[in-house]
Amino acid sequence: MTYERASSPEAIAVIDDVEELLDDIGFDPETSVLTHRQAQVLALRERDVSQADIADELGTSRANVSSIEASARENLSKARETVAFAEALRAPVRVRVSADTDLYDVPQMVYDACDEAGVKVDHTAPDLMKVVSDAAGNAVTGRKIASPLIVGVTSEGMVRVRHQD
């Protein structure tokens, strides 16, 4: 006996709409870091369509959909890192924060560097600590900077945090 899983009607409707969605948001595989298939899978997963339903409708395996999704998310992560790198290059303010620095000292370091460069940073000290902590991930442990960071501030006041390797 063979068992064939049927996609839900809701999943089929969402899958049918994915091409229209990709067109509406201006997806172009020629200029994107994603392939067309990766964009399809991400668009569907963001709409809570299961990997199994996607696989059924695209005529592939759930494992293949999982692999496509993982590759797409990795490509997006690399693209974000590239954008952060490019922003850091043009940021007029770059503050090196060494390991063992108290997170509570970071806002004043950033404010001082911004004042010197004539750049306005639109964050209160607690907000700035949260931005740094969230962006640094495991490079911040409690109140301590665990590994060196570079905190950049663009001329528009956007704060970018990079691990210093």
Side-chain angles (χ1 to χ4, degrees), residues 16-64:
D16 288 343
D17 292 341
V18 77
E19 290 307 318
E20 184 179 331
L21 170 68
L22 293 178
D23 285 343
D24 286 349
I25 60 175
F27 175 75
D28 180 1
E30 296 297 318
T31 59
S32 177
V33 297
L34 299 176
T35 66
H36 186 260
R37 182 67 72 165
Q38 288 172 338
Q40 285 177 312
V41 169
L42 280 183
L44 293 166
R45 293 292 289 144
E46 291 298 319
R47 277 146 190 79
D48 294 323
V49 178
S50 73
Q51 288 180 341
D53 283 345
I54 295 169
D56 287 348
E57 290 304 310
L58 298 180
T60 189
S61 68
R62 195 218 48 85
N64 188 42

Side-chain angles (χ1 to χ4, degrees), residues 58-80:
L58 298 180
T60 189
S61 68
R62 195 218 48 85
N64 188 42
V65 170
S66 177
S67 177
I68 292 168
E69 181 180 356
S71 293
R73 293 195 187 282
E74 183 177 333
N75 288 350
L76 290 177
S77 178
K78 286 179 180 179
R80 283 187 198 100

Side-chain angles (χ1 to χ4, degrees), residues 7-154:
S7 298
S8 68
E10 297 83 16
I12 292 170
V14 171
I15 289 168
D16 288 343
D17 292 341
V18 77
E19 290 307 318
E20 184 179 331
L21 170 68
L22 293 178
D23 285 343
D24 286 349
I25 60 175
F27 175 75
D28 180 1
E30 296 297 318
T31 59
S32 177
V33 297
L34 299 176
T35 66
H36 186 260
R37 182 67 72 165
Q38 288 172 338
Q40 285 177 312
V41 169
L42 280 183
L44 293 166
R45 293 292 289 144
E46 291 298 319
R47 277 146 190 79
D48 294 323
V49 178
S50 73
Q51 288 180 341
D53 283 345
I54 295 169
D56 287 348
E57 290 304 310
L58 298 180
T60 189
S61 68
R62 195 218 48 85
N64 188 42
V65 170
S66 177
S67 177
I68 292 168
E69 181 180 356
S71 293
R73 293 195 187 282
E74 183 177 333
N75 288 350
L76 290 177
S77 178
K78 286 179 180 179
R80 283 187 198 100
E81 177 59 25
T82 301
V83 169
F85 172 75
E87 288 176 339
L89 284 176
R90 67 180 181 89
V93 175
R94 280 185 292 283
V95 177
R96 294 184 192 289
V97 182
S98 58
D100 296 326
T101 300
D102 189 318
L103 181 61
Y104 281 53
D105 293 335
V106 173
Q108 194 58 55
M109 295 166 68
V110 172
Y111 294 150
D112 289 347
C114 285
D115 286 347
E116 191 174 308
V119 172
K120 184 177 187 319
V121 61
D122 198 21
H123 290 286
T124 64
D127 288 343
L128 188 53
M129 285 187 294
K130 180 166 178 24
V131 167
V132 169
S133 182
D134 288 351
N138 61 4
V140 174
T141 306
R143 282 182 50 173
K144 288 290 180 191
I145 305 299
S147 61
L149 301 173
I150 297 176
V151 179
V153 183
T154 68

